[in-house]
Coordinates of all heavy atoms in Angstrom, one line a residue:
N205 N 269.5 -130.8 -41.7 CA 270.4 -131.9 -41.3 C 271.5 -132.1 -42.4 O 271.8 -133.2 -42.7 CB 269.6 -133.1 -41.1 CG 270.3 -134.1 -40.2 OD1 271.3 -133.8 -39.5 ND2 269.9 -135.4 -40.2
S206 N 272.0 -131.0 -42.9 CA 273.1 -131.1 -43.9 C 274.3 -130.2 -43.3 O 274.0 -129.2 -42.7 CB 272.6 -130.5 -45.2 OG 273.7 -130.2 -46.1
K207 N 275.5 -130.7 -43.6 CA 276.6 -130.0 -43.0 C 276.8 -128.6 -43.6 O 277.2 -127.7 -42.9 CB 277.9 -130.8 -43.2 CG 278.3 -131.2 -44.6 CD 279.5 -132.0 -44.7 CE 279.9 -132.4 -46.1 NZ 281.1 -133.2 -46.2
Y208 N 276.5 -128.5 -44.9 CA 276.6 -127.2 -45.5 C 275.6 -126.2 -45.0 O 275.8 -125.1 -44.7 CB 276.5 -127.3 -47.1 CG 277.5 -128.1 -47.7 CD1 277.2 -129.3 -48.3 CD2 278.9 -127.7 -47.7 CE1 278.2 -130.1 -48.9 CE2 279.9 -128.4 -48.3 CZ 279.5 -129.6 -48.9 OH 280.5 -130.3 -49.5
S209 N 274.3 -126.7 -44.8 CA 273.3 -125.9 -44.3 C 273.5 -125.5 -42.9 O 273.3 -124.4 -42.4 CB 271.9 -126.6 -44.4 OG 271.7 -127.0 -45.7
M210 N 274.1 -126.5 -42.1 CA 274.4 -126.2 -40.7 C 275.5 -125.1 -40.5 O 275.4 -124.2 -39.7 CB 274.8 -127.5 -40.0 CG 275.0 -127.4 -38.5 SD 273.4 -127.3 -37.6 CE 273.0 -129.0 -37.7
L211 N 276.5 -125.3 -41.3 CA 277.6 -124.3 -41.3 C 277.1 -122.9 -41.7 O 277.4 -121.9 -41.1 CB 278.8 -124.7 -42.2 CG 279.6 -125.8 -41.7 CD1 280.6 -126.3 -42.7 CD2 280.4 -125.5 -40.4
G212 N 276.3 -122.8 -42.7 CA 275.7 -121.6 -43.1 C 274.8 -121.0 -42.0 O 274.8 -119.7 -41.8
A213 N 274.0 -121.8 -41.4 CA 273.1 -121.3 -40.3 C 274.0 -120.8 -39.1 O 273.7 -119.7 -38.5 CB 272.2 -122.4 -39.8
F214 N 275.0 -121.5 -38.7 CA 275.9 -121.0 -37.6 C 276.5 -119.7 -38.0 O 276.6 -118.8 -37.1 CB 277.0 -122.0 -37.3 CG 276.5 -123.3 -36.6 CD1 277.3 -124.4 -36.6 CD2 275.2 -123.3 -36.0 CE1 276.8 -125.6 -36.0 CE2 274.8 -124.4 -35.4 CZ 275.5 -125.6 -35.4
R215 N 277.0 -119.6 -39.2 CA 277.6 -118.3 -39.6 C 276.6 -117.2 -39.6 O 276.8 -116.1 -39.1 CB 278.1 -118.4 -41.0 CG 279.5 -119.1 -41.2 CD 279.9 -119.0 -42.6 NE 281.2 -119.6 -42.8 CZ 281.9 -119.5 -44.0 NH1 281.3 -118.9 -45.0 NH2 283.0 -120.1 -44.1
G216 N 275.4 -117.5 -40.2 CA 274.3 -116.4 -40.2 C 273.9 -116.0 -38.9 O 273.7 -114.8 -38.6
V217 N 273.7 -116.9 -37.9 CA 273.2 -116.6 -36.6 C 274.2 -115.7 -35.9 O 273.9 -114.7 -35.3 CB 272.9 -117.9 -35.8 CG1 272.7 -117.5 -34.3 CG2 271.7 -118.6 -36.4
A218 N 275.5 -116.1 -35.9 CA 276.6 -115.3 -35.2 C 276.7 -114.0 -35.8 O 276.8 -113.0 -35.1 CB 277.9 -116.1 -35.4
Q219 N 276.5 -113.9 -37.2 CA 276.6 -112.6 -37.8 C 275.5 -111.7 -37.5 O 275.7 -110.5 -37.2 CB 276.7 -112.8 -39.3 CG 276.6 -111.6 -40.2 CD 276.5 -112.0 -41.7 OE1 277.1 -113.0 -42.1 NE2 275.9 -111.2 -42.5
V220 N 274.2 -112.2 -37.5 CA 273.1 -111.4 -37.3 C 273.0 -110.9 -35.8 O 272.7 -109.8 -35.6 CB 271.8 -112.2 -37.7 CG1 270.5 -111.4 -37.2 CG2 271.7 -112.4 -39.2
I221 N 273.4 -111.8 -34.9 CA 273.4 -111.4 -33.5 C 274.4 -110.3 -33.2 O 274.1 -109.4 -32.5 CB 273.6 -112.7 -32.6 CG1 272.4 -113.6 -32.6 CG2 273.9 -112.3 -31.2 CD1 272.6 -114.9 -31.9
S222 N 275.6 -110.5 -33.8 CA 276.6 -109.5 -33.6 C 276.2 -108.1 -34.1 O 276.4 -107.1 -33.4 CB 277.9 -109.9 -34.3 OG 278.4 -111.2 -33.8
Y223 N 275.7 -108.1 -35.3 CA 275.4 -106.7 -35.8 C 274.0 -106.2 -35.4 O 273.7 -105.1 -35.6 CB 275.5 -106.8 -37.4 CG 276.9 -106.7 -37.8 CD1 277.7 -107.8 -37.9 CD2 277.5 -105.5 -38.1 CE1 279.0 -107.7 -38.3 CE2 278.8 -105.4 -38.4 CZ 279.6 -106.5 -38.5 OH 280.9 -106.4 -38.9
E224 N 273.2 -107.1 -34.8 CA 271.9 -106.7 -34.2 C 272.2 -105.8 -33.0 O 271.5 -104.8 -32.8 CB 271.1 -107.9 -33.7 CG 269.8 -107.6 -33.2 CD 268.8 -107.3 -34.3 OE1 268.9 -107.8 -35.4 OE2 267.8 -106.5 -34.0
I225 N 273.3 -106.1 -32.3 CA 273.6 -105.2 -31.1 C 274.0 -103.8 -31.6 O 273.6 -102.8 -31.0 CB 274.8 -105.9 -30.3 CG1 274.3 -107.2 -29.8 CG2 275.3 -105.0 -29.2 CD1 275.4 -108.1 -29.2
I226 N 274.8 -103.8 -32.6 CA 275.3 -102.5 -33.2 C 274.1 -101.7 -33.7 O 274.0 -100.5 -33.6 CB 276.4 -102.7 -34.2 CG1 277.6 -103.3 -33.6 CG2 276.7 -101.4 -34.9 CD1 278.7 -103.6 -34.5
L227 N 273.2 -102.4 -34.4 CA 272.0 -101.8 -35.0 C 271.2 -101.1 -33.9 O 270.7 -100.0 -34.1 CB 271.2 -102.8 -35.8 CG 270.2 -102.3 -36.9 CD1 271.0 -101.8 -38.1 CD2 269.3 -103.5 -37.3
I228 N 271.0 -101.8 -32.8 CA 270.1 -101.3 -31.7 C 270.8 -100.1 -31.1 O 270.2 -99.0 -30.8 CB 269.9 -102.4 -30.7 CG1 269.0 -103.4 -31.3 CG2 269.2 -101.8 -29.4 CD1 268.8 -104.6 -30.4
F229 N 272.1 -100.2 -30.9 CA 272.9 -99.0 -30.3 C 272.8 -97.8 -31.2 O 272.6 -96.7 -30.7 CB 274.3 -99.4 -30.1 CG 274.6 -100.0 -28.7 CD1 274.8 -101.3 -28.5 CD2 274.6 -99.1 -27.6 CE1 275.1 -101.8 -27.2 CE2 274.9 -99.6 -26.3 CZ 275.1 -101.0 -26.1
V230 N 273.0 -98.0 -32.5 CA 273.0 -96.8 -33.4 C 271.5 -96.3 -33.5 O 271.3 -95.1 -33.5 CB 273.5 -97.3 -34.8 CG1 273.3 -96.1 -35.8 CG2 274.9 -97.7 -34.7

Side-chain angles (χ1 to χ4, degrees):
N205 200 17
S206 165
K207 59 181 179 181
Y208 296 113
S209 302
M210 186 74 77
L211 287 172
F214 287 164
R215 282 186 178 188
V217 169
Q219 171 183 332
V220 171
I221 289 176
S222 301
Y223 281 87
E224 185 78 26
I225 297 171
I226 296 179
L227 201 73
I228 293 173
F229 267 106
V230 175

